[in-house]
Amino acid sequence: MQVSNPNNVKIYNLSAGKSLPEWLSDRQRRSLQKQDIDVRRRIELLQDFEMPTASHCVGISPDGQYICATGTYKPRIKCFDTAQMSLKFERGLDSDVVNFQFLGEDYGKIVFLQCDRYIELHSQFGRYYRFRIPKYGRDMAYHFPSCDLYVGGVGSEVYRINLEQGRFLNPITTKSPDTNCCEINPSHGLLACGTTAGTVECFDPRVRRSVGTLDITLSNQFEDIHELPKVTALKFRDALNMGVGTSTGHILLYDIRSSKPLLAKDHHYELPIKSIEFQDSLNLVLSMDTKILKLWDRETGKAYTSIEPGTPLNDLCLLPKSGLLFMANEDQKILSYYIPALGTAPKWCSFLDNLTEELEESTAQIVYDDYKFVTRKELEELGLAHLIGSTLLRAYMHGFFMDNRLYNKAKTIAEPFAYEEYRKSKIREKIEQERANRVRLKKLPKVNRDLAEKLMDVKEIGTNKKKVKETATLLEDDRFSAMFSNPEFQINVNSEEYKLVNPVVSKLDKVRRKKQAKMEQFAEVSDEEGQNLSDSDSSDDEHTWTKELKEQHKKLRREAAQAKHAEYMEKKNAPKFYEIKEGVDLDSKGGGQKKLAKKSLAERLQDTQDDSVVAKSGSLGNRELTFTFRKSDREMKQLEKTREHHKERKNIRRSAGDITKTLKQKPKFWLGKRVN
């Protein structure tokens, strides 16, 4: 048993201690209890009060005699009899349980809301009936006077099932798209529904309509929160007081007659509240999220104590008029805590009051301390693969459990020099730590040596912490290692981009030199004077840098203009070539074209000697000349193709005319008689 003392309040963890594997027989368990003192000293409040993987819900019957818990995997329910402090029965289920409710005083009638939209009714012998709701449910509440079961979940409707008549009734419609939780006040039967819109809608089951809406977003607690808070937990303390838990980790206490909260408490974890309980003897509130359970004063909000088990929490069950509580969580064991300050232990475990006086503080040990989990690959490395299937290995999930003593022996045989290697690595680490204190020389890389040297100088003499941090990451970050090792990343000093950035680089060099000179010359100057000097120097540096940058731009523009002018002159002085038309003859001196231009039309026609020239003489002695220009070979070929095309079109027209004439002729037979 583990004892903690937060805020001077003793909390006893009854579930702390070693866990024994399920496959051990009773004889092996008894032998372990005799041999191992830790197993013998552990307290098992309820026999097998655990789940194979995780537990989802836990609750106690109205008569206080039976405790039921649901978990996985596989989905199941366990019922424990407090009179015998042992397991009453265990049943398997088809799917995980979201919530369950006792319909009677004991375990004889239980209803389960499952994650696959099914609702199961169980009696003493097992499952009695099973039906399905239209949409996924998130919470349910049972109204004892009318035997109505209210189920809220996805959608704006709260389904109403009458278990006496065995049928669905008209649902209750809310103003919100979804419902997260439902709670019925045991004093006057008011039904409260917490919605995703940040409202609590109250309904009267007698008239089945809304009688009031409480908007929690109007509280001042949510001014700094950007998202809309959702209602995730509800609990009535009495006829008028109500606690509301939100998705942002706030708990608001209300009087249902007022829209303003009486008190607001923040968990400061920004996790949704899972459950809320009230403790009347000390006037405390118990609020639980997935990380922690907090106990605080209902009037002032002052913290009383807290429990942080280290595993995600799912549900809370506080035994009435007692200091014993149970918490379902994402671990095998269902957590059990006893706080004597809240009340005495229940009658069925009254021995706790005597034990708590003698308990000492002890640390919880790891589950299955005497066994080691190994995979198949590790077994092959240890040379123990031949033990698969024997009693020395117990199959579990993707590996096996084996005794720690066997594992240590096999490890020593398989790796005899493991200790020597471990010892050498520790010595090497210690030597490296001592070397770190020595003075180190600068090791410049082969690529971009100048840049690396500048960055190192800035790191050494820099006064701006932000810039020093940036340069340090640039030199040490693996993402930029190729810039100082790969020759392809070598900076080209003659490139245009570098020339534009060069004033900036020169400015860095000047700033570095000035800082070095200042540190040497003005080492004893006060901080105020040094600040004034640095401000003036920085303004002068900025002015000179701007001037150098303008001069660099002018230089680049002059170089571009000179290159453009040189290209133009090269094109202008280049020799020109002309294309001569086909059929034109030029002499060696190039004057043939001019001679041809001086000839008359008749002389040109005689020189061509073309057959296309036709001469005619009139009756009055006049002459007429008709001629055509000579065509090129290409034009002649095109002309021949055109003529052939015209001929084909003529032939097609002729054949079409013959077909038309044939169709217009009358048939030789008409109505079975030959026509002459």
Side-chain angles (χ1 to χ4, degrees):
M1 184 182 292
Q2 183 180 3
V3 184
S4 58
N5 194 20
N7 203 14
N8 296 326
V9 178
K10 284 192 175 183
I11 301 174
Y12 296 91
N13 186 359
L14 305 180
S15 55
K18 280 189 175 182
S19 297
L20 298 179
E22 294 182 355
W23 61 78
L24 292 182
S25 61
D26 294 338
R27 184 177 180 180
Q28 291 173 336
R29 289 173 183 265
R30 286 194 298 270
S31 63
L32 276 176
Q33 289 178 357
K34 292 178 181 178
Q35 297 172 4
D36 197 337
I37 188 172
D38 294 332
V39 176
R40 190 163 60 250
R41 292 186 62 181
R42 70 190 181 100
I43 294 178
E44 194 173 9
L45 192 62
L46 294 172
Q47 180 189 3
D48 295 334
F49 196 50
E50 59 186 16
M51 289 292 170
T53 304
S55 53
H56 296 155
C57 303
V58 60
I60 186 170
S61 61
D63 60 0
Q65 187 176 352
Y66 300 98
I67 297 172
C68 290
T70 60
T72 192
Y73 176 83
K74 299 179 180 179
R76 65 190 67 193
I77 173 178
K78 287 185 177 183
C79 181
F80 301 90
D81 189 354
T82 58
Q84 302 296 326
M85 299 180 66
S86 62
L87 182 66
K88 180 74 174 178
F89 64 84
E90 180 179 358
R91 296 173 188 167
L93 302 173
D94 294 337
S95 58
D96 293 335
V97 175
V98 178
N99 198 0
F100 71 91
Q101 185 87 24
F102 288 95
L103 302 181
E105 293 295 323
D106 54 6
Y107 70 93
K109 296 178 182 179
I110 308 177
V111 59
F112 296 94
L113 174 62
Q114 298 179 348
C115 63
D116 57 352
R117 295 193 292 158
Y118 275 101
I119 294 178
E120 289 189 3
L121 299 171
H122 284 233
S123 62
Q124 292 180 349
F125 63 84
R127 187 171 72 186
Y128 178 77
Y129 191 71
R130 188 169 186 250
F131 61 93
R132 201 172 188 180
I133 56 177
K135 295 182 180 180
Y136 293 97
R138 296 177 181 172
D139 198 7
M140 62 181 179
Y142 183 64
H143 188 243
F144 284 92
S146 63
C147 298
D148 286 346
L149 181 67
Y150 296 90
V151 182
V154 178
S156 59
E157 294 181 343
V158 178
Y159 302 108
R160 192 162 58 100
I161 304 102
N162 188 275
L163 301 183
E164 183 181 11
Q165 302 176 13
R167 64 189 181 95
F168 280 88
L169 302 179
N170 293 331
I172 296 175
T173 304
T174 63
K175 300 177 183 178
S176 173
D178 296 323
T179 303
N180 285 335
C181 52
C182 302
E183 184 72 18
I184 292 180
N185 193 309
S187 300
H188 45 66
L190 186 68
L191 172 65
C193 299
T195 66
T196 57
T199 59
V200 179
E201 297 190 33
C202 297
F203 298 88
D204 188 350
R206 298 170 297 181
V207 296
R208 298 181 298 281
R209 65 168 181 266
S210 178
V211 294
T213 302
L214 175 64
D215 192 353
I216 65 170
T217 58
L218 301 178
S219 175
N220 298 330
Q221 298 294 323
F222 308 104
E223 292 180 353
D224 300 334
I225 298 176
H226 302 290
E227 61 179 5
L228 182 67
K230 304 174 184 178
V231 179
T232 57
L234 285 175
K235 187 67 177 180
F236 284 101
R237 180 179 177 268
D238 49 29
L240 298 178
N241 293 315
M242 176 181 62
V244 180
T246 67
S247 59
T248 56
H250 292 80
I251 301 95
L252 307 175
L253 301 182
Y254 284 94
D255 188 322
I256 60 175
R257 297 169 295 183
S258 174
S259 60
K260 295 182 179 180
L262 302 175
L263 182 68
K265 181 71 174 178
D266 189 1
H267 269 212
H268 298 289
Y269 285 110
E270 297 183 358
L271 297 173
I273 303 299
K274 289 281 188 177
S275 181
I276 300 174
E277 295 288 345
F278 291 96
Q279 210 278 341
D280 295 330
S281 61
L282 296 179
N283 202 16
L284 297 178
V285 180
L286 288 77
S287 55
M288 185 192 76
D289 57 19
T290 56
K291 186 178 180 65
I292 193 172
L293 170 66
K294 289 190 175 185
L295 290 80
W296 42 279
D297 189 85
R298 187 175 65 89
E299 299 292 340
T300 61
K302 184 180 179 181
Y304 182 72
T305 187
S306 63
I307 301 174
E308 189 172 357
T311 57
L313 304 176
N314 293 328
D315 194 14
L316 171 65
C317 175
L318 176 65
L319 273 65
K321 299 179 181 180
S322 170
L324 186 63
L325 56 91
F326 303 114
M327 286 189 288
N329 63 100
E330 295 294 328
D331 200 0
Q332 293 181 342
K333 285 188 176 182
I334 300 174
L335 301 177
S336 305
Y337 290 93
Y338 177 52
I339 307 175
L342 298 183
T344 59
K347 291 182 180 180
W348 54 272
C349 59
S350 57
F351 59 89
L352 287 177
D353 293 330
N354 299 327
L355 287 176
T356 52
E357 298 177 0
E358 302 174 358
L359 291 178
E360 298 178 355
E361 295 185 3
S362 59
T363 57
Q365 298 184 0
I366 304 173
V367 179
Y368 303 162
D369 290 332
D370 296 333
Y371 292 86
K372 176 71 175 179
F373 181 79
V374 292
T375 61
R376 186 180 292 270
K377 185 178 179 181
E378 291 175 352
L379 282 176
E380 293 175 356
E381 293 175 354
L382 296 174
L384 300 178
H386 62 282
L387 296 179
I388 296 176
S390 64
T391 57
L392 297 176
L393 295 178
R394 180 66 63 171
Y396 183 77
M397 294 179 68
H398 62 284
F400 305 89
F401 273 111
M402 64 184 300
D403 194 279
N404 257 336
R405 294 169 292 178
L406 177 61
Y407 175 79
N408 293 331
K409 289 181 181 179
K411 189 77 171 175
T412 305
I413 296 171
E415 300 178 2
F417 302 105
Y419 176 73
E420 293 295 332
E421 294 177 359
Y422 172 77
R423 183 169 172 273
K424 289 180 181 178
S425 64
K426 284 294 182 182
I427 293 173
R428 196 180 301 112
E429 290 178 1
K430 199 165 185 180
I431 292 172
E432 291 295 333
Q433 290 178 359
E434 293 177 356
R435 286 178 178 174
N437 299 327
R438 300 177 183 175
V439 178
R440 294 185 178 182
L441 298 175
K442 293 182 181 179
K443 294 182 180 180
L444 297 177
K446 296 180 180 179
V447 182
N448 294 327
R449 297 173 65 90
D450 297 337
L451 178 61
E453 187 178 2
K454 291 173 184 177
L455 293 175
M456 288 180 181
D457 294 340
V458 171
K459 182 180 178 182
E460 290 178 359
I461 66 173
T463 56
N464 192 342
K465 294 183 179 180
K466 187 176 180 181
K467 291 183 179 179
V468 171
K469 187 176 181 181
E470 291 176 357
T471 55
T473 54
L474 184 63
L475 289 170
E476 298 170 1
D477 199 339
D478 295 336
R479 296 175 296 175
F480 304 102
S481 60
M483 190 169 65
F484 301 102
S485 60
N486 193 349
E488 295 181 359
F489 291 97
Q490 179 66 43
I491 297 175
N492 186 9
V493 183
N494 299 323
S495 64
E496 183 178 349
E497 292 81 3
Y498 182 81
K499 290 180 180 179
L500 288 174
V501 184
N502 190 32
V504 181
V505 179
S506 62
K507 179 194 171 185
L508 291 175
D509 296 340
K510 291 180 180 179
V511 170
R512 186 172 69 255
R513 288 194 295 268
K514 286 183 179 181
K515 285 184 178 179
Q516 288 178 348
K518 265 192 266 183
M519 291 174 65
E520 295 174 359
Q521 187 176 359
F522 303 103
E524 299 178 356
V525 180
S526 62
D527 296 337
E528 185 177 358
E529 294 177 355
Q531 182 67 27
N532 296 332
L533 286 171
S534 62
D535 294 341
S536 61
D537 291 340
S538 62
S539 61
D540 295 339
D541 293 339
E542 186 177 357
H543 178 70
T544 55
W545 171 74
T546 306
K547 188 176 180 181
E548 290 178 1
L549 188 62
K550 289 181 179 180
E551 292 178 357
Q552 190 68 24
H553 275 284
K554 289 180 181 179
K555 185 178 179 181
L556 289 174
R557 283 197 293 269
R558 284 197 300 270
E559 291 178 357
Q562 291 175 1
K564 190 173 182 181
H565 180 69
E567 185 180 356
Y568 171 74
M569 294 302 296
E570 185 179 356
K571 288 182 179 179
K572 185 176 180 181
N573 298 329
K576 296 182 180 180
F577 298 93
Y578 297 94
E579 184 180 358
I580 300 175
K581 294 182 180 180
E582 186 178 357
V584 178
D585 296 330
L586 295 176
D587 55 0
S588 60
K589 295 182 179 180
Q593 189 71 19
K594 294 181 181 180
K595 291 181 180 179
L596 185 63
K598 293 180 180 180
K599 291 184 179 181
S600 62
L601 180 60
E603 292 175 350
R604 293 182 188 178
L605 292 175
Q606 288 179 2
D607 293 339
T608 56
Q609 296 179 359
D610 194 357
D611 297 336
S612 60
V613 179
V614 179
K616 292 182 182 181
S617 58
S619 58
L620 299 176
N622 59 339
R623 291 182 65 83
E624 180 182 354
L625 291 176
T626 304
F627 59 91
T628 58
F629 290 102
R630 181 184 298 171
K631 295 181 180 180
S632 62
D633 296 338
R634 184 178 179 184
E635 292 176 347
M636 292 299 293
K637 290 179 182 179
Q638 187 68 27
L639 183 61
E640 289 177 1
K641 288 182 181 180
T642 306
R643 289 174 181 174
E644 291 177 359
H645 179 67
H646 288 324
K647 286 181 182 180
E648 289 178 0
R649 290 183 62 84
K650 274 185 181 181
N651 294 333
I652 292 171
R653 289 195 197 99
R654 287 176 184 174
S655 59
D658 295 341
I659 293 170
T660 305
K661 288 179 182 180
T662 305
L663 293 174
K664 287 182 178 181
Q665 289 179 1
K666 295 181 180 180
K668 294 183 179 182
F669 295 92
W670 182 256
L671 297 176
K673 296 181 181 182
R674 186 171 182 176
V675 181
N676 295 325

